[in-house]
Amino acid sequence: ETGVTQSPTHLIKTRGQQVTLRCSSQSGHNTVSWYQQALGQGPQFIFQYYREEENGRGNFPPRFSGLQFPNYSSELNVNALELDDSALYLCASSDPISQSTDTQYFGPGTRLTVL
Amino acid sequence: DAKTTQPPSMDCAEGRAANLPCNHSTISGNEYVYWYRQIHSQGPQYIIHGLKNNETNEMASLIITEDRKSSTLILPHATLRDTAVYYCIVGYGGATNKLIFGTGTLLAVQP
């Protein structure tokens, strides 16, 4: 167990709808990253937030957006859902200051199905 | 694109050592080698990372060649619970930088 939680576990939406996924970081971690994992593929980096500011973005369109809150919890929002958005969405928290834990801790993911 | 090459699958007998290879011939001088694994339907789990020297922790050992162009993850006594996809990742600062995953190696531990 990493201490990173995500909700909901599963979600079904239809094409064109909007979705919000939530992530609660491990205690003390001020950085959160979001990844998309299509079936049979490795996770793909969407973006990262550090102290409520976006701190890097992967090759995803603007309809993928995020927020990080003062308590370091985070949201991933996806507008105008497309069938190809069906995937496992993972968040990972980290602490850039810690010398001993230079890594990211992943949550269990949210499985999104777009019909 | 991922900067690493891994075999798509490997088998290992329970109780034996599992040796998972990774090629990263274009690694830069300050880039680390990270290993994660992903058990079915779970999030990736950090295993170990290293820069130049070999590393060992309670989960595994990481052997990096002297020219740093390849590495091997060693699980000393594989169990059925070690069946997972193992990802070798090259990058700077694992906590603050994006992790670029390839397709990994599916390790199947056989009873």
Side-chain angles (χ1 to χ4, degrees), chain B:
Chain B
D1 291 344
K3 298 173 65 173
T4 61
T5 304
Q6 299 177 252
S9 64
M10 293 181 61
D11 288 342
C12 177
E14 190 176 18
R16 304 295 295 269
N19 297 280
L20 292 93
C22 179
N23 287 321
H24 32 79
S25 59
T26 61
I27 190 171
S28 299
N30 293 326
E31 287 186 303
Y32 287 77
V33 179
Y34 295 86
W35 283 84
Y36 284 76
R37 74 180 183 184
Q38 188 172 23
I39 297 170
H40 182 63
S41 297
Q42 297 182 20
Q45 175 191 24
Y46 167 79
I47 302 173
I48 199 168
H49 75 282
L51 182 63
K52 296 181 181 179
N53 300 320
N54 299 336
E55 302 287 345
T56 295
N57 62 20
E58 64 279 4
M59 289 183 67
S61 294
L62 173 60
I63 308 299
I64 303 174
T65 59
E66 191 170 347
D67 63 8
R68 304 210 320 124
K69 292 185 177 181
S70 65
S71 61
T72 301
L73 178 74
I74 301 172
L75 308 179
H77 305 286
T79 71
L80 298 178
R81 289 178 296 179
D82 292 321
T83 293
V85 177
Y86 288 76
Y87 296 100
C88 169
I89 299 167
V90 163
Y92 303 97
T96 55
N97 290 284
K98 62 182 179 181
L99 297 172
I100 301 176
F101 290 80
T103 51
T105 296
L106 173 58
L107 175 68
V109 180
Q110 308 290 344

Side-chain angles (χ1 to χ4, degrees), chain A residues 2-64:
Chain A
T2 62
V4 179
T5 60
Q6 293 187 242
S7 62
T9 305
H10 296 86
L11 199 54
I12 299 175
K13 291 285 189 179
T14 57
R15 195 168 47 180
Q17 285 188 312
Q18 178 266 343
V19 69
T20 297
L21 310 180
R22 294 179 174 82
C23 172
S24 178
S25 298
Q26 183 166 319
S27 177
H29 286 186
N30 56 21
T31 301
V32 65
S33 304
W34 284 90
Y35 293 80
Q36 179 195 66
Q37 186 174 23
L39 203 60
Q41 302 295 317
Q44 301 296 307
F45 175 76
I46 303 175
F47 44 57
Q48 183 182 84
Y49 278 79
Y50 171 67
R51 293 188 173 180
E52 304 176 57
E53 297 288 331
E54 188 176 291
N55 184 43
R57 188 179 183 93
N59 189 26
F60 281 82
R63 59 189 185 85
F64 285 78

